[in-house]
Amino acid sequence: MIEGGDKTAINVKISSLLENNKFDRAVPLLISSKQYERALDICVQQNVPIQEDLIKKIIPEEEPTNAMEKSKKADLIKTVAEKCRKQGSFELASNLYLKVGDKITSLKCLIELGDANKVINFANTARSSETYVLAAN
């Protein structure tokens, strides 16, 4: 959206939107200017729903080439998942935790969602004793 734009002008526009309580319009601008943490914090604080389209803009689809990039991407995914969980988007959070290989937290999100069928299916698919015990409780 704003690839080559003037950063100062973008930041002025973002500040203006935030001052006028137009958080839902400020968040995409923050994301396009790569201010992910600030955008996510505003989403949680101001009840702006974190939706899949925003997540796709935040988390790059391409696979990282080195270990440091993989670590950064995993940290970013965990941060987004935590924010989704705080907002009550448990299914989205579960999917994100699963992307980084955190099956236990993913299952806990599904339990918070309250959908017994999804919990059972997840436990059966994960096939680990921890998930079976957690799902049974």
Side-chain angles (χ1 to χ4, degrees), residues 1-136:
M1 180 186 341
I2 304 175
E3 290 303 313
D6 179 19
K7 289 186 180 187
T8 307
I10 294 168
N11 286 332
V12 168
K13 180 67 175 171
I14 290 170
S15 295
S16 171
L17 289 170
L18 293 174
E19 287 173 13
N20 292 315
N21 296 330
K22 300 199 181 213
F23 305 110
D24 56 329
R25 292 181 55 201
V27 168
L29 280 176
L30 287 164
I31 290 171
S32 63
S33 64
K34 300 191 187 307
Q35 298 179 41
Y36 304 131
E37 191 69 36
R38 187 172 174 204
L40 292 170
D41 286 340
I42 289 171
C43 285
V44 171
Q45 293 167 359
Q46 304 301 330
N47 287 332
V48 176
I50 300 173
Q51 298 169 342
E52 278 192 63
D53 60 327
L54 288 179
I55 293 172
K56 286 179 183 176
K57 290 177 185 175
I58 294 173
I59 302 169
E61 288 294 320
E62 65 272 353
E63 283 299 314
T65 55
N66 59 38
M68 191 164 156
E69 287 180 12
K70 282 183 182 180
S71 174
K72 280 184 179 180
K73 183 176 179 179
D75 289 343
L76 181 61
I77 291 173
K78 284 181 183 178
T79 301
V80 174
E82 288 168 9
K83 304 293 183 180
C84 286
R85 192 174 183 182
K86 283 182 184 174
Q87 260 193 350
S89 300
F90 300 117
E91 193 166 359
L92 257 177
S94 174
N95 291 335
L96 291 170
Y97 280 120
L98 201 53
K99 277 187 180 181
V100 293
D102 190 349
K103 291 180 182 178
I104 300 301
T105 310
S106 180
L107 181 58
K108 287 179 181 179
C109 288
L110 288 177
I111 291 169
E112 288 180 68
L113 179 65
D115 189 340
N117 288 331
K118 287 184 181 182
V119 171
I120 292 167
N121 287 336
F122 184 91
N124 286 332
T125 306
R127 295 193 183 271
S128 81
S129 59
E130 271 185 285
T131 57
Y132 286 132
V133 171
L134 194 58

